[in-house]
Amino acid sequence: MKEAVRKTLTFSAIAILAGVCGCIAGVANGDVPPIAFGAVAIAGGGILAVMAGLATREGNR
């Protein structure tokens, strides 16, 4: 279980980083789609990180 949570946290960190890069690229080019996709990636990565954190917390009981 700990390995799955660790992999999920790694994936969520990559998703958040990709979202930030997408937002920055969208702002630099003045395009809306990269900003929107970046915001979705950031939100999804954040939700995954919270879920993994809760799974770690519940798994230690």
Side-chain angles (χ1 to χ4, degrees), residues 5 8-17 38-56:
V5 170
T8 303
L9 283 173
T10 303
F11 179 75
S12 69
I14 292 170
I16 291 171
L17 183 63
V40 169
I42 292 170
I47 290 170
L48 277 175
V50 168
M51 294 292 208
L54 290 174
T56 302

Side-chain angles (χ1 to χ4, degrees), residues 13-60:
I14 292 170
I16 291 171
L17 183 63
V20 169
C21 290
C23 285
I24 291 171
V27 169
N29 288 331
D31 293 333
V32 175
I35 297 171
F37 291 138
V40 169
I42 292 170
I47 290 170
L48 277 175
V50 168
M51 294 292 208
L54 290 174
T56 302
R57 182 173 166 230
E58 293 295 320
N60 288 335

